[in-house]
Amino acid sequence: MATKKAIKRIAISTGGGDAPGLNAVIRAVALSGLKRGWEVYGIRDGFHGVLLPEQYEEGGILKLTRERVRGITHLGGTMLGTSNRNNPMRYPIELPDGSIEEVDRTDEIVRALRLHHIDALISVGGDGSLAISDVLSKKGLRVIHVPKTIDNDLDKTDATFGFDTAVGFATESIDRLHSTAASHGRVMVVEVMGRYAGWIALHAGVAGSADAILIPEIPYDIRKVARKIKDRDQMGRHYTIVVVAEGAKPTGGSAMVVEHKKGKDERLGGIGEQVAKEIRTTTEKETRVVVLGHLLRGGSPTSLDRLRALRFGAAAVRALDKGYDGVMVALAYPTVKYVPITDAMGQMKHVPVDSDTIMTARDMGITFAEAGDTEKK
Ligand code: F6P
């Protein structure tokens, strides 16, 4: 895990879907590196900057100076750009006959970085980028990975930055829906991102006092949602808020996919509409759907996410300074630690169905609409 070669020049890349806090990581990496007398470079759009340098007027790799990273901690997005298309491990190229072949271009990344005399790479991304970090590290590049995703589904870290901002926005949205739902006596279905994990739906649903929360970890029975709506009606509560994770699935069914692609790259969506349709049929209540989608990825990071991101960025540079290689920075309350990239890979962190947050929700009277006669205690 530890190597000794002195560092002179490092590069940072941000890959996968953007998350609030990426700019804070970039700033922390740049300032911590510059403080040590290193040169710091930022690769544009994931790894496109090194694979397709000719496409960038300023070059595919930017020198990060103090001036370049000034005033960016609070900004959403990433100043370097990112991409969750054209994974360098399965890069699509068009053959003369018009068909598409996927090729591995990771050797080219290693070569290009060596050509730029980059001693180490700090790669910021989710599980897709983590797999790329692993390959690059095995090919001899010195790599430190920084975990990122609004979905909070990365294993071996207590949390990722971006999640708190996404939950905050979703909660505020649910708060706003209460009054309009109550005024019209409607059911409001709120679909949130999160892929195959229900973290955002659970946290925002509990914080925003939803009545039902549907998450991938607990397959739902629509009749249970309908029961909840009817029970509330009988109690004189003529409106209901249902929060649905994009990866939620009915008992015996599967998640709704809008774009089929290889492996975990498939794009989820549509479950909100589906649930609303079923609610209309089973309850005859007026039902509306709000899909929060990419709004959850936008905007200024919360102070918690800024701090997490700054800590992760600085910890990544300290890791290099200490001679670490092939590790991911991870949050281990109350501090940060380093875990081998290989240990963090391949597993998704799901909501534990016996977690205290789930128990809290149940005690608050929130239903997960699971099949069976009674809600589990
Ligand atoms: O992983 C982050 C995430 O926002 C998921 O919650 C969502 O399913 C996915 O990215 C959407 O990605 P995009 O629309 O950018 O392809």
Side-chain angles (χ1 to χ4, degrees):
M1 212 146 94
T3 52
K4 290 278 183 288
K5 190 175 171 265
I7 300 271
K8 290 200 186 84
R9 192 178 276 197
I10 64 170
I12 175 170
S13 127
T14 54
D18 67 325
L22 281 169
N23 281 319
V25 180
I26 295 169
R27 179 169 159 86
V29 165
L31 295 188
S32 309
L34 293 171
K35 187 180 164 216
R36 286 165 172 79
W38 304 348
E39 285 179 20
V40 184
Y41 288 83
I43 304 173
R44 308 291 306 277
D45 301 330
F47 291 105
H48 291 187
V50 285
L51 292 175
L52 306 161
E54 66 284 355
Q55 290 194 352
Y56 299 89
E57 258 174 41
E58 275 187 282
I61 300 191
L62 295 180
K63 187 165 187 177
L64 298 181
T65 57
R66 283 190 159 272
E67 291 64 41
R68 261 212 165 112
V69 298
R70 186 164 289 148
I72 62 169
T73 302
H74 65 293
L75 300 179
T78 158
M79 63 167 283
L80 293 174
T82 186
S83 173
N84 54 8
R85 297 282 172 273
N86 302 340
N87 181 333
M89 286 160 66
R90 300 190 306 270
Y91 197 94
I93 49 163
E94 197 177 332
L95 299 177
D97 66 358
S99 62
I100 302 288
E101 191 190 348
E102 290 184 339
V103 296
D104 181 351
R105 298 189 66 182
T106 51
D107 277 334
E108 286 173 66
I109 297 175
V110 177
R111 263 200 311 275
L113 292 180
R114 291 219 169 107
L115 220 63
H116 284 92
H117 304 288
I118 301 291
D119 301 309
L121 169 73
I122 294 176
S123 178
V124 191
D127 57 352
S129 309
L130 192 63
I132 300 168
S133 289
D134 184 52
V135 169
L136 295 176
S137 167
K138 285 179 175 142
K139 289 190 171 176
L141 192 70
R142 211 163 147 189
V143 182
I144 306 293
H145 192 84
V146 172
K148 161 249 62 164
T149 168
I150 64 163
D151 303 334
N152 197 39
D153 61 352
L154 283 184
D155 198 29
K156 299 281 184 287
T157 179
D158 286 351
T160 48
F161 64 85
F163 174 63
D164 187 60
T165 310
V167 169
F169 183 80
T171 304
E172 193 193 325
S173 306
I174 297 165
D175 287 348
R176 284 167 182 252
L177 291 172
H178 276 276
S179 56
T180 175
S183 305
H184 288 265
R186 282 173 175 161
V187 178
M188 298 296 306
V189 176
V190 189
E191 181 185 310
V192 297
M193 281 185 168
R195 278 203 309 178
Y196 299 99
W199 293 103
I200 298 176
L202 175 66
H203 284 225
V206 175
S209 299
D211 305 296
I213 303 174
L214 311 183
I215 57 173
E217 292 83 352
I218 306 179
Y220 67 85
D221 178 345
I222 199 68
R223 290 170 302 183
K224 289 299 190 70
V225 182
R227 180 78 267 148
K228 180 78 182 173
I229 295 166
K230 285 177 186 156
D231 286 350
R232 282 178 56 77
D233 259 334
Q234 271 166 16
M235 290 186 312
R237 311 286 282 161
H238 297 296
Y239 77 97
T240 297
I241 308 269
V242 182
V243 176
V244 189
E246 64 178 355
K249 52 181 186 248
T251 311
S254 47
M256 286 191 73
V257 176
V258 281
E259 194 183 341
H260 288 273
K261 287 194 287 162
K262 271 193 189 161
K264 286 184 292 181
D265 287 347
E266 58 191 11
R267 214 149 55 77
L268 300 175
I271 189 69
E273 272 300 342
Q274 176 65 24
V275 165
K277 203 168 101 191
E278 289 171 347
I279 289 174
R280 277 185 212 111
T281 330
T282 46
T283 67
E284 293 177 1
K285 294 269 306 179
E286 209 181 359
T287 305
R288 296 283 191 270
V289 186
V290 176
V291 180
L292 294 180
H294 295 81
L295 289 169
L296 296 170
R297 296 217 309 234
S300 183
T302 59
S303 49
L304 184 77
D305 276 339
R306 291 180 204 186
L307 187 61
R308 254 176 210 169
L310 292 168
R311 288 172 67 199
F312 280 10
V317 169
R318 285 200 306 277
L320 287 174
D321 210 5
K322 285 181 187 157
Y324 281 98
D325 186 7
V327 294
M328 179 181 93
V329 178
L331 188 65
Y333 284 120
T335 187
V336 291
K337 64 174 183 181
Y338 304 113
V339 294
I341 287 174
T342 41
D343 288 3
M345 272 182 49
Q347 295 185 67
M348 203 173 274
K349 186 175 69 187
H350 285 287
V351 171
V353 293
D354 56 354
S355 70
D356 86 283
T357 314
I358 295 271
M359 290 190 285
T360 304
R362 293 190 198 282
D363 284 339
M364 298 294 106
I366 299 171
T367 182
F368 292 95
E370 65 218 272
D373 282 344
T374 49
E375 280 284 294
K376 276 188 199 144
K377 288 276 175 257

